[in-house]
Amino acid sequence: MSTDKLVDFDEVLSRYEPVIGLETHVELGTASKMFCGCSTTFGAEPNTQTCPVCLGLPGALPVANAAAIEATIRIGLALGCRIATWCRFARKNYFYPDIPKGFQTSQYDEPLCTAGHLDVEVDGETYRVEIERVHLEEDTGKNLHVGGSTGRIHGADHSLIDYNRAGIPLVEIVTRPIPGAGAKAPEVARAYVDELREIVRTLGVSDVKMEQGSLRCDVNLSIAPIGSLEWGTRSETKNVNSLRSVERAVRYEMRRQAAVLDEGGRVVQETRHFHEDSGSTSSGRSKEEATDYRYFPEPDLVPIAPDEEWVEKLAAALPELPAARRARLSEEWGISPTEMAWVVNAGAVDLVGDTVAAGASPADARKWWLGELARRANDAGVELADLAVTPAQVAELVALVAAGTINDQLARQTLDGVLAGEGDPAQVVEARGLAVMGESDELVAAVDAAIEGNPDVAEKVRAGKVQAIGALVGAVMKATRGKADAATVKRMLEERLSQG
Ligand SMILES: [Zn+2]
């Protein structure tokens, strides 16, 4: 669908240096909206969660939500920001049907939090992302354009507006421009949003579901010839709704802008839309300047003046943040940062942690979650955490293997049963008869049968070709459908064959 000319990614890097910038909106999980008492529950019937304040009716007066201010300060503190001792809300004036007041109540030159940073790691290298500001504002309503093919206003017969979202507290986190990432720019952008999401999740102030829009990202990107003293003109790709899309949007814009500059053209400062299906962006509207919004201080709200002692208390009560937690766990589990990165990338930090807490060794817990279970999640196309097996069940499985009740192969069959909802591992082992066979009559018979059925192999072993015994072990394992213990079988075979 895109007609943009694109330069090969590696070629872009041979001539240009990218600069990324990220603006992330986080919808806070407060019970009520930013300036009124309306509910914020997701998925309610359209326009059932509204009142004169969030509909912008004349004479209605807003009151700021204290829980939202506290949540914003906590995000700022987690990002190492300076917290303002006094700041105001401002009116950002523009007319859109989804913004019933004719302005958005936001913060302009007096943000609540400033000058923080977030370190992200990509391929073992740390990139420091400077945070310019964290401010508080309100979300807009939602337009639904009906009748067009793409859901956009062009070609639609009519539009519907749902104001349930209008006035939900929104925190905007803005980075300073991030130069110097070079070829890693797409990954650094993704890693930043990922780490920020983990922090916000750890703070418990939002459910940060990108697919439901409670975390949305605008990706700013510019490129300039290598060695240039000035940065290029940036494009702003709006509402990029998954981590993968963040990475793709950066990559696409680098390639597109390089083609524009190669032809002697100029990159236009504009907002662009990202298309999930093709991974491309398309032109939106030319970007407004701050002056277009005629910002002025909101006269209907008192200034916010967070008490210093309160801020100190909030800082002291912050939970252990993801980076510190990863460092602590990798030490406790005795693994390298690289190995820890694998656990993180698999989305298995909590799963492994809970499995260890349930009694498994860190090595066993990692082995199962990153091996067999990761493979099954991948086959089923689901997240690891969504598999129908709990960390406690994995710990139980590990204990059954350690006790010799089952071996690894039987453990995989046991997992089949657990995932099929047949109960805990011990119950599945019992119900499916999966326990390893002892030196029972049945096993003795299977060993004898293997020798009788393969006389030539048995003769070789007797003649001293010890490695040939593998074929006999395999025959016994096959006959017992993997329920025998291979080491025991080998020992029994050796005893039998040495008797002549
Ligand atoms: Zn309301």
Side-chain angles (χ1 to χ4, degrees), residues 439 444 447-448 451-452 458-459 461-464 469 472 489-500:
E439 285 183 59
V444 172
V447 166
D448 287 344
I451 293 171
E452 277 164 34
E459 199 44 51
V461 179
R462 284 197 185 95
I469 205 166
L472 296 176
V489 170
K490 183 160 176 271
R491 185 173 45 73
M492 290 168 71
L493 282 163
E494 282 165 353
E495 281 169 12
R496 268 288 203 272
L497 294 170
S498 66
Q499 287 161 9

Side-chain angles (χ1 to χ4, degrees), residues 33 35-39 49-55 166:
K33 291 187 181 179
F35 300 113
C36 61
C38 289
S39 167
Q49 297 172 347
T50 58
C51 74
V53 172
C54 55
L55 290 176

Side-chain angles (χ1 to χ4, degrees), residues 432-483:
R432 291 197 176 194
L434 293 175
V436 168
M437 294 169 77
E439 285 183 59
S440 58
D441 291 347
E442 191 187 349
L443 189 54
V444 172
V447 166
D448 287 344
I451 293 171
E452 277 164 34
N454 302 277
D456 45 335
V457 181
E459 199 44 51
K460 276 185 196 165
V461 179
R462 284 197 185 95
K465 286 198 172 173
V466 271
Q467 67 270 33
I469 205 166
L472 296 176
V473 174
V476 176
M477 295 305 283
K478 195 177 169 200
T480 57
R481 277 168 295 149
K483 289 199 300 188

Side-chain angles (χ1 to χ4, degrees), residues 272-342:
R272 297 184 68 87
H273 301 293
F274 183 73
H275 306 283
E276 292 280 347
D277 48 354
S278 57
S280 63
T281 67
S282 64
S283 182
R285 56 191 155 91
S286 65
K287 180 70 182 154
E288 297 87 348
E289 296 295 330
T291 47
D292 296 330
Y293 291 120
R294 291 169 294 115
Y295 280 101
F296 64 86
E298 166 61 62
D300 287 344
L301 285 161
V302 293
I304 312 171
D307 181 66
E308 244 174 271
E309 250 177 66
W310 178 52
V311 172
E312 275 168 27
K313 235 187 242 173
L314 292 178
L318 284 181
E320 182 182 37
L321 296 174
R325 178 159 181 260
R326 287 196 299 270
R328 175 176 60 78
L329 289 176
S330 69
E331 198 176 313
E332 282 177 16
W333 298 346
I335 61 177
S336 69
T338 311
E339 288 170 313
M340 191 66 202
W342 295 338

